[in-house]
Amino acid sequence: QSHTTSTSTSVMPPRPPPPPPASSSRARWKLARVGGHVPVRAVQFTPDGRSLVVARGLELRIWDLNTGQVVREVKRSHRSTVVAVAVSPDGRQIATASFDGVVRLWDMATLDCTAVLKGPTLLTFSVVYTHDGSVLA
């Protein structure tokens, strides 16, 4: 004869993270309202999670998530509405695509445009880096 022992274990769900500090909550709320009358078309967190890159109209802005303040911006980043942003995995470069048919590369530290790419298609609605940052599609 064989004996089978059955044990019942109860698995407790993981605890939710603690709520953010009040100042952090206010900053996030402010960021959620950045659109105003101009729609926000694209957003991308930086890999370190400290900043948010926002494309709004022709503007490209980098927001500090701790303070809720704009730390860098370009008022006329393209000739037409910016529709996509991507941040490189190392956090050093931003790619933007616009209705003007151009993809621009930006230095994250200065927001200087470092390259202008024109592809075979008229419009680009999305940009993305590979996980190692070696290719931008």
Side-chain angles (χ1 to χ4, degrees):
Q1 289 182 343
S2 67
H3 295 284
T4 305
T5 306
S6 156
T7 59
S8 172
T9 58
S10 174
V11 177
M12 297 296 292
R15 286 186 167 179
S23 62
S24 179
S25 295
R26 281 194 293 275
R28 284 187 180 91
W29 176 248
K30 184 176 181 179
L31 288 171
R33 299 174 48 202
V34 298
H37 297 292
V38 179
V40 172
R41 297 283 183 170
V43 296
Q44 178 76 50
F45 288 102
T46 56
D48 64 9
R50 295 180 183 174
S51 302
L52 183 68
V53 179
V54 177
R56 185 186 114 171
L58 302 178
E59 297 174 351
L60 179 63
R61 293 181 175 180
I62 301 175
W63 290 78
D64 181 306
L65 292 175
N66 290 323
T67 66
Q69 300 297 313
V70 174
V71 292
R72 286 181 293 289
E73 70 180 313
V74 175
K75 293 285 188 182
R76 295 188 56 84
S77 63
H78 283 263
R79 288 181 290 159
S80 188
T81 301
V82 180
V83 294
V85 298
V87 178
S88 64
D90 64 7
R92 297 174 59 186
Q93 188 175 65
I94 301 168
T96 57
S98 168
F99 283 145
D100 63 10
V102 170
V103 171
R104 293 181 186 263
L105 304 182
W106 306 87
D107 180 273
M108 176 70 83
T110 63
L111 274 189
D112 290 333
C113 182
T114 59
V116 177
L117 310 173
K118 295 182 182 182
T121 61
L122 295 176
L123 296 176
T124 301
F125 291 97
S126 178
V127 286
V128 65
Y129 286 91
T130 55
H131 72 283
D132 64 358
S134 63
V135 177
L136 174 67

